[in-house]
Amino acid sequence: MSETLLQIPLQELQVDPNQPRRELESIHSDTEFRTLQGLAESITRIGILQPLRVRKLAQGSYQILSGHRRFEAAKLAQKEAVPCIVVECSDKPGDVRLAQITENVQRKAMTSSELAWSVEELVKAGLSQAEVAHKLGVSESQISVLARISRLSALVSQAFHSGQIKSPRAAYDLDRLAPELQRQVLGEGSPDKRSSIGQKDVQLIKDSWKFNSQRKSHPFVAPALPPKEFTALEEALKAEIDDNYDPQSDLDSFFGPDRPLDSVQELHQAAPAAPALVRLPRLKLSQARRLIQLICYAERRPEPKFSSPDRDPSADELTRWLSSALKALR
Amino acid sequence: MRDYLKAYAQSRCRKLDDICVEILEGFMTLRPFERGLKIHVPMSLRSRVAEDQKWVQLNFFLSDEMTLKVNQLCEELAAGAAASANSHYISRAAVLYTALYWFVKYMRPAQLEPAKVDLGDLA
């Protein structure tokens, strides 16, 4: 099959009414229009990197095989001509359809994790998030979510990079929830751990928690601040006048009777509660094993047997064992 | 204080404005200022401190009904403090700041993040 690269004026290109890209039907929707606008901006700045694939029609014009979005975006960018690869293709509907889908089947999109890493590198290189968004032709909020991926908590980060969490937005939303809820969404400690978590799963738990948290409960664990921020807050609360005030009665009135976090417990009823984990520093496998040996030696108990004796224990198993052991030591 | 309240609101999946209104409602219902809590002047109004430490103002939206209640409370407190030397302290900003101060200092004090365990060189 011979191929020729040409600059073809837009008016000579025809859209295939039966093309397989169904999402282009919603071109008049706000979301699709914004995405196309991003692509158009990118085309204005750096041009079309990947030529469209077209076939010549009998009347002299060209029909687009792949590149419908690039074509629509080029129109938005008011380009006169676009680079096209003209391929020889018969008029048989089967051949046309095959040529249309081949490129999309062969293409492998970057994973969210790879994309997040690339954005992080760009931000590290000194570009602002707004600049990155502008250069890539995407919204600033998308870049803000991707940039946050590098600062995810260990639990969410592990789930995201292992592919358990599919979208960066889901990881971003999950990271903002309380650790108990994060463990619940991820199915930590539950026998049927979810293999795929989307934004809807996070939203569901978030809504459920929001509903339950309308009921105040006491004691409620206040957010823990890093030492620097904690000291700054303490400084801010230093008053010039002293209060002669006992908050105990107001605490009970404001937060209700003293009871455990019932709403979280209710949320956990579906799955067995995971033991609370003690935050551990990053350890090498050898370090973790040595630590386990030391704990067993100190407590004079046999070393634990993990699920598969032939293989190394998983990071999850080690964390769980060490957490419970360190908690008992406390 | 704003950052802490924001973190608190996030931990409860709520908006900062909603949490502030909740605090204000609690403050006006429980009336801790009648049991020893002094009215505190916001840092941004202590001119010298504000200039030195770059304090900024925290704004939040209140419904008309709530604004009316706050105004009434201010008037009530100002009338009560008229005789004292500190009557000039009473203002709407001071009452709102005191409500937030009361919550952050006494109702839900911040916790310090647990220090990381130094395990030394175990390799």
Side-chain angles (χ1 to χ4, degrees):
Chain A
M1 190 188 281
S2 72
E3 294 182 346
T4 324
L5 181 65
L6 290 175
Q7 281 285 341
I8 300 178
L10 287 182
Q11 63 267 25
E12 286 184 25
L13 293 174
Q14 284 184 14
V15 175
D16 178 4
N18 300 317
Q19 53 91 14
R21 277 276 202 179
R22 293 286 170 237
E23 68 188 47
L24 280 172
E25 285 171 5
S26 57
I27 198 164
H28 299 296
S29 76
D30 274 359
T31 319
E32 186 59 32
F33 185 72
R34 270 203 301 274
T35 323
L36 268 184
Q37 233 175 4
L39 185 57
E41 278 171 26
S42 161
I43 287 173
T44 310
R45 260 195 327 278
I46 48 178
I48 294 181
L49 299 175
Q50 175 85 23
L52 285 70
R53 289 173 75 81
V54 298
R55 72 183 183 109
K56 193 157 190 176
L57 298 174
Q59 61 268 34
S61 57
Y62 297 86
Q63 188 183 50
I64 301 170
L65 293 173
S66 61
H68 288 86
R69 288 187 73 244
R70 277 166 279 168
F71 171 68
E72 293 294 342
K75 278 204 289 190
L76 273 181
Q78 296 180 336
K79 287 268 172 192
E80 287 179 2
V82 286
C84 298
I85 295 174
V86 185
V87 296
E88 277 179 19
C89 181
S90 73
D91 282 342
K92 278 189 210 166
D95 288 353
V96 173
R97 189 67 67 243
L98 207 59
Q100 280 175 333
I101 61 172
T102 308
E103 183 184 300
N104 289 319
V105 169
Q106 295 301 328
R107 184 194 300 148
K108 188 174 184 302
M110 278 177 100
T111 64
S112 309
S113 179
E114 288 164 345
L115 198 57
W117 181 81
S118 310
V119 167
E120 193 193 333
E121 288 295 304
L122 286 172
V123 172
K124 268 188 199 164
L127 290 177
S128 71
Q129 288 186 10
E131 283 170 330
V132 177
H134 185 63
K135 282 182 193 296
L136 295 180
V138 294
S139 72
E140 213 173 311
S141 70
Q142 274 175 284
I143 295 298
S144 157
V145 167
L146 286 169
R148 170 123 181 190
I149 294 296
S150 61
R151 303 197 299 273
L152 293 176
S153 68
L155 190 68
V156 180
S157 174
Q158 194 188 358
F160 178 69
H161 291 293
S162 68
Q164 191 187 2
I165 301 175
K166 295 295 174 203
S167 77
R169 171 63 72 174
Y172 174 79
D173 284 348
L174 185 60
D175 192 53
R176 295 171 66 183
L177 298 184
E180 297 93 342
L181 300 179
Q182 291 176 0
R183 278 196 287 277
Q184 197 198 348
V185 175
L186 294 171
E188 285 289 310
S190 160
D192 46 5
K193 189 173 173 172
R194 292 179 194 169
S195 57
S196 166
I197 290 159
Q199 211 176 332
K200 272 187 185 169
D201 298 305
V202 180
Q203 194 59 43
L204 198 71
I205 296 287
K206 195 174 164 183
D207 288 346
S208 160
W209 164 248
K210 199 172 174 179
F211 173 75
N212 280 308
S213 71
Q214 304 291 324
R215 295 178 303 155
K216 298 167 194 165
S217 59
H218 167 65
F220 176 76
V221 182
L225 300 178
K228 202 175 161 191
E229 288 174 29
F230 183 81
T231 316
L233 182 63
E234 292 255 288
E235 281 293 313
L237 294 175
K238 265 188 193 166
E240 290 176 347
I241 44 173
D242 290 329
D243 299 316
N244 180 22
Y245 167 65
D246 177 15
Q248 195 51 49
S249 61
D250 284 347
L251 269 171
D252 292 339
S253 309
F254 194 89
F255 294 106
D258 192 354
R259 58 180 182 175
L261 288 171
D262 58 349
S263 48
V264 174
Q265 281 173 357
E266 283 164 23
L267 283 170
H268 275 274
Q269 270 175 1
L277 295 181
V278 173
R279 183 171 290 196
L280 289 171
R282 244 172 226 279
L283 293 176
K284 289 179 188 167
L285 187 63
S286 57
Q287 289 175 324
R289 281 181 155 173
R290 182 78 182 120
L291 183 59
I292 289 173
Q293 280 174 1
L294 284 171
I295 292 172
C296 292
Y297 177 75
E299 291 197 320
R300 292 182 187 154
R301 58 172 162 170
E303 285 184 33
K305 284 177 186 166
F306 293 108
S307 56
S308 54
D310 327 330
R311 275 187 323 183
D312 286 332
S314 67
D316 199 36
E317 271 183 314
L318 284 175
T319 314
R320 209 171 293 286
W321 193 92
L322 280 171
S323 295
S324 58
L326 286 176
K327 228 177 160 192
L329 278 178
R330 280 181 176 183
Chain B
M1 189 189 275
R2 181 192 178 279
D3 289 346
Y4 173 67
L5 285 169
K6 183 98 183 160
Y8 176 78
Q10 274 187 2
S11 73
R12 295 183 70 95
C13 304
R14 307 279 298 279
K15 287 182 184 168
L16 180 60
D17 273 354
D18 296 346
I19 288 291
C20 287
V21 168
E22 195 175 296
I23 292 170
L24 203 51
E25 277 171 354
F27 181 75
M28 290 199 286
T29 313
L30 299 170
R31 303 175 77 84
F33 43 83
E34 290 178 350
R35 281 172 286 112
L37 181 77
K38 305 278 179 12
I39 297 297
H40 294 255
V41 179
M43 288 289 190
S44 58
L45 294 186
R46 295 181 211 168
S47 56
R48 193 167 44 79
V49 182
E51 278 169 23
D52 291 351
Q53 300 183 6
K54 299 186 176 59
W55 287 91
V56 290
Q57 207 166 301
L58 166 65
N59 296 320
F60 53 92
F61 290 100
L62 296 178
S63 64
D64 291 347
E65 190 191 356
M66 185 59 84
T67 313
L68 197 68
K69 281 184 189 172
V70 173
N71 287 341
Q72 282 173 351
L73 180 63
C74 286
E75 283 168 20
E76 187 189 323
L77 286 171
S84 76
N86 295 334
S87 59
H88 62 285
Y89 277 177
I90 312 292
S91 67
R92 193 155 62 175
V95 170
L96 294 176
Y97 173 75
T98 306
L100 300 183
Y101 175 89
W102 164 73
F103 185 80
V104 176
K105 175 99 178 178
Y106 297 109
M107 290 293 103
R108 192 55 78 217
Q111 291 188 337
L112 181 60
E113 207 174 62
K116 286 175 183 158
V117 184
D118 184 8
L119 293 167
D121 185 15
L122 291 165

